[in-house]
Coordinates of all heavy atoms in Angstrom, one line a residue:
V182 N 16.7 -185.5 -74.6 CA 17.6 -185.6 -73.4 C 17.9 -187.1 -73.2 O 17.0 -187.8 -72.7 CB 17.0 -185.1 -72.1 CG1 18.1 -185.1 -71.0 CG2 16.5 -183.6 -72.3
G239 N 11.2 -194.1 -65.1 CA 11.6 -192.8 -65.6 C 10.8 -191.7 -64.9 O 10.0 -192.0 -64.1
T240 N 11.1 -190.5 -65.3 CA 10.5 -189.3 -64.7 C 9.0 -189.3 -64.9 O 8.2 -188.8 -64.1 CB 11.2 -188.0 -65.1 OG1 12.5 -188.1 -64.6 CG2 10.5 -186.8 -64.6
S241 N 8.5 -189.8 -66.1 CA 7.1 -189.8 -66.4 C 6.3 -190.5 -65.3 O 5.3 -190.1 -64.7 CB 6.8 -190.4 -67.7 OG 7.5 -189.7 -68.7
H281 N 7.7 -180.0 -69.0 CA 7.6 -181.2 -69.8 C 6.2 -181.7 -69.8 O 5.4 -181.6 -68.8 CB 8.5 -182.3 -69.2 CG 8.8 -183.4 -70.0 ND1 7.9 -184.5 -70.1 CD2 9.8 -183.7 -70.9 CE1 8.4 -185.4 -70.9 NE2 9.5 -184.9 -71.5
C283 N 5.0 -184.5 -69.4 CA 4.7 -185.6 -68.5 C 3.8 -185.1 -67.3 O 3.0 -185.8 -66.8 CB 5.9 -186.3 -67.9 SG 6.9 -185.4 -66.8
A336 N 15.5 -177.5 -64.6 CA 15.9 -177.3 -66.0 C 14.8 -177.7 -66.9 O 14.2 -178.8 -66.9 CB 17.1 -178.2 -66.3
V338 N 12.9 -178.6 -70.4 CA 13.4 -179.5 -71.5 C 13.8 -178.8 -72.7 O 14.7 -179.2 -73.5 CB 12.3 -180.6 -71.7 CG1 11.0 -180.0 -72.2 CG2 12.9 -181.7 -72.6
D363 N 10.2 -181.4 -61.1 CA 10.5 -182.2 -62.3 C 12.0 -182.1 -62.5 O 12.4 -181.2 -63.3 CB 9.6 -181.9 -63.5 CG 10.1 -182.7 -64.7 OD1 11.0 -183.5 -64.6 OD2 9.5 -182.6 -65.8
A365 N 14.1 -184.3 -64.0 CA 14.5 -185.4 -64.9 C 16.0 -185.3 -65.1 O 16.7 -186.3 -64.7 CB 13.8 -185.3 -66.2
F366 N 16.5 -184.3 -65.6 CA 18.0 -184.1 -65.7 C 18.5 -183.0 -64.9 O 19.6 -183.0 -64.4 CB 18.5 -184.0 -67.2 CG 18.0 -182.8 -67.9 CD1 18.8 -181.7 -68.1 CD2 16.7 -182.7 -68.4 CE1 18.4 -180.5 -68.7 CE2 16.2 -181.5 -69.0 CZ 17.1 -180.5 -69.2
D392 N 15.8 -188.7 -63.3 CA 16.2 -189.9 -64.0 C 17.7 -190.2 -63.7 O 18.5 -189.4 -63.7 CB 16.1 -189.6 -65.5 CG 14.7 -189.8 -66.0 OD1 14.0 -190.7 -65.5 OD2 14.3 -189.0 -66.9
H394 N 18.8 -192.5 -65.9 CA 19.2 -192.9 -67.3 C 19.6 -191.7 -68.1 O 20.0 -191.8 -69.3 CB 18.2 -193.7 -67.9 CG 16.8 -193.2 -68.1 ND1 15.6 -193.9 -68.0 CD2 16.3 -191.9 -68.3 CE1 14.6 -193.2 -68.1 NE2 15.0 -192.0 -68.3
K395 N 19.4 -190.4 -67.6 CA 19.8 -189.3 -68.4 C 21.2 -188.9 -68.0 O 22.2 -189.4 -68.4 CB 18.8 -188.2 -68.3 CG 17.5 -188.5 -69.1 CD 16.5 -187.4 -68.9 CE 15.3 -187.7 -69.8 NZ 14.2 -186.8 -69.5
Ligands
LIG2063 C1 12.9 -186.6 -70.1 C2 12.1 -185.7 -69.3 C3 11.0 -186.1 -68.6 C4 10.4 -187.5 -68.9 O1 11.2 -188.5 -68.3 P1 11.2 -190.0 -68.8 O2 12.4 -190.6 -68.1 O3 11.5 -189.9 -70.3 O4 9.9 -190.6 -68.4 C5 10.3 -185.2 -67.8 N1 10.8 -184.0 -67.6 C6 11.9 -183.5 -68.2 C7 12.4 -182.1 -67.9 C8 12.6 -184.4 -69.0 O5 13.8 -184.0 -69.6

Side-chain angles (χ1 to χ4, degrees):
V182 185
T240 293
S241 300
H281 192 275
C283 72
V338 64
D363 175 358
F366 64 102
D392 282 321
H394 58 215
K395 286 178 176 170

